[in-house]
Amino acid sequence: MALVTMKELLTMAEKNDIATGAFSVGNMEMVMGAVVAAEELNTPIILQIAEVRLKNSPLELMGPMMLAAAKNAKVDIAVHLDHGLNIETVQKALDLGFTSVMFDGSLLSLEDNISSVKEVVRRASKYGATVEAELGVVGGNEGEGTAHEIKCTSPDDAKIFCDETGIDALAVAIGNAHGNYPVAPQLRLDVLDDIHKKVSTPLVLHGGTGISDEQFRQAIKLGIRKVNIATASFDKLAEYAKIYCDSTEKANYFELSSRQAEGVYENVKRHIKIFSFID
Ligand code: 13P
């Protein structure tokens, strides 16, 4: 198995009426935990890192590790830049060999979002890399800073956006938000259904942490082909590390490292099963 483009995984997900899990990683333990879960379930995944996380986990260190993990895995894995905010970062990811990039122009006007994404599509095509972009505004925030107000994607604008940019994947805003939800969200499945009827581009659901199994599966039936999970993995890693540290007089680095990977493994495995309809 191998490092593949995200487009290949989305095509396969479309054929099988499932979604591919896209799991955010910030250190080696997260990469290892996610890959072991994918291998155990014999299911491809996407490993991703968002631009706002690069302060903690620099791209030039994380990128080669994510790519090496994908190349050595027993399942197909795509390596993706999540929420690219600057064209320079997108270019850096492409130069490192990422097989997929997202440009997040969701706070721009439709016209400016289209023109920025077109430039990303032009650059990515030289590398054969997949491009994801967002329309509408997903709530919360990816990292620190003020939370964004949710603005549902307009199905008509989605059609214009996909037609004009030629993107491979469209991130939609349907009541979803990044981070932990104060109460479990009720996704606007009616809006998703309208988008899906107008647009043949595979759809992406951000803000996966805290969405119910039932809502995930309903959304997948309405065209979601990629689901992003970040907070749940970061939280599980911290939870498992804390349980271990609290359980011993003197914490051991190697045990701590294993526990971190185990927390992420459990979370990734649980989500892959939901997205692949494995019971
Ligand atoms: P969560 O942190 O809510 O899981 O969202 C992940 C995400 O959408 C990353 O882009």
Side-chain angles (χ1 to χ4, degrees), residues 19-26 30 34 45-50 53 80 82-83 142 177-181 204-213 216 226-236 263-264 266-275:
T20 303
F23 298 99
S24 297
V25 290
M30 295 189 82
I45 55 166
I46 297 154
L47 288 176
Q48 64 182 17
I49 186 160
R53 303 287 177 206
H80 174 71
D82 188 29
H83 291 283
E142 177 65 30
H178 294 112
N180 286 306
Y181 294 91
V204 181
L205 183 64
H206 282 240
T209 298
I211 293 177
S212 69
D213 299 8
F216 273 136
K226 170 181 182 256
V227 182
N228 285 10
I229 301 288
T231 305
S233 284
F234 291 119
D235 284 355
K236 272 279 174 248
V264 174
E266 294 292 351
N267 181 54
V268 170
K269 193 167 154 189
R270 181 172 86 75
H271 283 98
I272 292 176
K273 285 183 171 176
I274 303 167
F275 307 154

Side-chain angles (χ1 to χ4, degrees), residues 171-202:
V172 293
I174 52 167
N176 46 322
H178 294 112
N180 286 306
Y181 294 91
V183 287
Q186 284 300 316
L187 297 179
R188 288 289 306 270
L189 296 170
D190 55 326
V191 176
L192 177 60
D193 193 23
D194 284 351
I195 299 168
H196 187 40
K197 283 183 180 136
K198 294 220 152 112
V199 161
S200 58
T201 308

Side-chain angles (χ1 to χ4, degrees), residues 253-270:
Y253 164 76
F254 301 100
E255 188 59 29
L256 181 59
S257 169
S258 306
R259 298 294 179 98
Q260 290 182 46
E262 196 187 326
V264 174
Y265 157 83
E266 294 292 351
N267 181 54
V268 170
K269 193 167 154 189
R270 181 172 86 75

